[in-house]
Amino acid sequence: MAKWFGNVTSIGWGVLLLGAIAWVAATALGWIEAAVVAMAALFLLIGAAFFMIGRTRLAVATVVEPPRVAVGQALTGELRARNEARGPLVSTTLEFPIGAGGVTYDLPMLMPGAEHTELFVVPTQRRGVIDVGPVRTVRGDPLGLFRRVQEWTDRTEVFVHPRTTHLEPFGVGLVRDLEGSTAQNTSMSDLAFHALREYVPGDDLRHIHWRSSARHGQLLVRQFLDTRRSHIVVIVDSSPTSYDSEEEYETAMSIAGSLLRRGILDEFDVSLATGDVLLVRATAAGGGGRSALDACSRATPQPNNLVEITAEAAGQAPDASLVMLVTGRYPEFVTLQRAAGQFSVDATTVAVRVDSSQRAGFKAVADLPMLTVPDLDQLPIVLAKGLSG
């Protein structure tokens, strides 16, 4: 019974309430007009209820391939509906939500076992995550007193990744790892032998190279280079007040996606922090390229503080080797300095300003490389100069 009442629309409840009030008035006051209104409401409800008799038996499936595309790429899908009832299926309406909008299909009469196919288009003009489905059948009466909605498919997420550009390999290493590359920091206990130096009190005697010591007449100890594996952290300023326009924010997300994609191709660990999205240590072996760009698709402008976002990222990735701070034209340099100071001094930190009103350029201010990028196409040249500088 409760489920049946759930099919009554607001109009239906209004008619029911009007009929009840009219019946009370007719009974208490003897108004014939009120009795007529009550009977009319009753007949309307009974007549509308006949349209709800019976069950819809459908097999509905949606196919969206591929589930991940870049901005602007064409993406179509297919909806298939098959009548699984023993009798014919009269014309039925299918509601199909796609993102913020949706489409409505009027199925023709289907004989038992018959199938109907519709094609649909998924909008990909903007970066984001688009919910496709669930497909619903709507059954009701012409007056709108009753409405029964039944879902036939699950909700599917389609990821529209930001536009990216090709970048040259980074070649930066920091995180200690048995299979990592050597960095320039010396160490007294690692795998990559570097040189011999004179013994000083406190050195581990196990590192004394006895043969060379005997040859030179003084104690010499082995010195090593740290072996490290790169960990690239990309931080995107999510505050709308940092950018001059929504297009500049989208350029920032495209820069982030390009940096993360390059890191995965170099088989580095990558992390992303922006707004309410935090992706920590994605790897190529674990499908990091897909998860990193998916995280970029989920990012939305948020009134967050760049320093706070950076501090959270530094706490999650203290071993970062390359930190890319991507922001707009408005944050002050001291804010970028404070954000860069959240990471270890061993990390290479680069700030990237998105400013469509300026020419592409590079400069180092107080040991913080600053890149100005007016659009995504300028990123490879400016970034190569910034990292090499």
Side-chain angles (χ1 to χ4, degrees):
M1 182 64 68
K3 185 176 180 181
W4 187 89
F5 278 115
N7 296 326
V8 182
T9 66
S10 58
I11 299 177
W13 285 113
V15 172
L16 182 61
L17 180 61
L18 176 63
I21 294 175
W23 179 259
V24 171
T27 304
L29 304 176
W31 289 354
I32 301 205
E33 294 84 355
V36 173
V37 172
M39 294 300 295
L42 177 63
F43 285 130
L44 284 177
L45 291 171
I46 293 176
F50 277 104
F51 288 88
M52 306 298 293
I53 297 176
R55 293 184 58 188
T56 302
R57 297 181 181 273
L58 279 176
V60 182
T62 57
V63 178
V64 182
E65 290 292 343
R68 291 170 173 84
V69 295
V71 170
Q73 290 184 348
L75 180 60
T76 59
E78 186 179 77
L79 182 150
R80 294 191 295 269
R82 185 176 68 253
N83 180 18
E84 295 195 332
R86 295 182 179 179
L89 176 69
V90 296
S91 180
T92 303
T93 300
L94 290 182
E95 290 185 351
F96 189 19
I98 301 178
V103 294
T104 301
Y105 297 112
D106 292 324
L107 294 182
M109 179 179 292
L110 295 177
M111 300 304 292
E115 185 174 278
H116 180 75
T117 301
E118 294 279 359
L119 298 179
F120 59 90
V121 178
V122 179
T124 60
Q125 290 80 15
R126 304 291 293 179
R127 174 192 57 85
V129 180
I130 301 175
D131 293 332
V132 177
V135 178
R136 300 186 292 256
T137 54
V138 181
R139 190 165 185 170
D141 60 277
L143 298 178
L145 304 184
F146 296 96
R147 174 185 169 92
R148 184 168 65 201
V149 178
Q150 189 171 358
E151 295 185 353
W152 298 97
T153 63
D154 295 328
R155 180 174 60 89
T156 302
E157 289 186 331
V158 175
F159 292 88
V160 181
H161 292 161
R163 187 170 69 92
T164 59
T165 187
H166 174 75
L167 301 176
E168 294 299 322
F170 292 127
V172 179
L174 183 67
V175 180
R176 291 128 181 100
D177 192 278
L178 294 179
E179 297 179 356
S181 57
T182 59
Q184 297 305 312
N185 297 338
T186 57
S187 169
M188 292 307 299
S189 58
D190 216 298
L191 297 179
F193 175 71
H194 176 55
L196 295 173
R197 65 166 175 80
E198 294 184 6
Y199 172 84
V200 296
D203 285 340
D204 194 335
L205 297 179
R206 293 175 299 175
H207 295 151
I208 295 177
H209 196 280
W210 296 106
R211 181 175 300 177
S212 298
S213 298
R215 185 180 304 116
H216 291 83
Q218 59 179 340
L219 291 178
L220 299 175
V221 295
R222 300 180 181 89
Q223 195 172 38
F224 301 85
L225 282 176
D226 285 341
T227 54
R228 307 181 175 196
R229 180 178 175 85
S230 287
H231 184 180
I232 301 170
V233 178
V234 179
I235 301 168
V236 181
D237 191 345
S238 62
S239 176
T241 59
S242 297
Y243 302 90
D244 187 64
S245 63
E246 184 179 351
E247 286 70 22
E248 288 191 355
Y249 172 73
E250 290 301 321
T251 300
M253 292 309 307
S254 292
I255 290 174
S258 301
L259 295 170
L260 294 169
R261 182 171 174 266
R262 180 69 261 176
I264 291 296
L265 291 176
D266 289 343
E267 298 185 352
F268 297 158
D269 298 341
V270 299
S271 297
L272 170 68
T274 177
D276 55 356
V277 174
L278 179 62
L279 174 71
V280 180
R281 200 177 285 279
T283 62
R290 182 178 61 186
S291 60
L293 291 178
D294 286 354
C296 289
S297 296
R298 293 188 184 279
T300 57
Q302 301 285 338
N304 297 95
N305 183 281
L306 178 60
V307 178
E308 294 177 356
I309 296 176
T310 308
E312 182 179 6
Q316 296 292 330
D319 54 0
S321 57
L322 177 61
V323 180
M324 303 296 299
L325 300 175
V326 185
T327 184
R329 65 175 73 177
Y330 293 120
E332 298 180 353
F333 177 74
V334 65
T335 302
L336 300 181
Q337 272 190 317
R338 290 179 56 198
Q342 304 299 318
F343 284 88
S344 167
V345 294
D346 292 331
T348 300
T349 305
V350 180
V352 182
R353 283 190 184 274
V354 179
D355 188 348
S356 58
S357 66
Q358 300 291 327
R359 296 180 60 183
F362 161 76
K363 63 179 179 179
V365 182
D367 297 329
L368 178 61
M370 296 279 297
L371 310 181
T372 300
V373 181
D375 56 68
L376 181 63
D377 295 334
Q378 300 295 321
L379 178 64
I381 299 175
V382 180
L383 184 63
K385 182 184 299 184
L387 293 181
S388 61

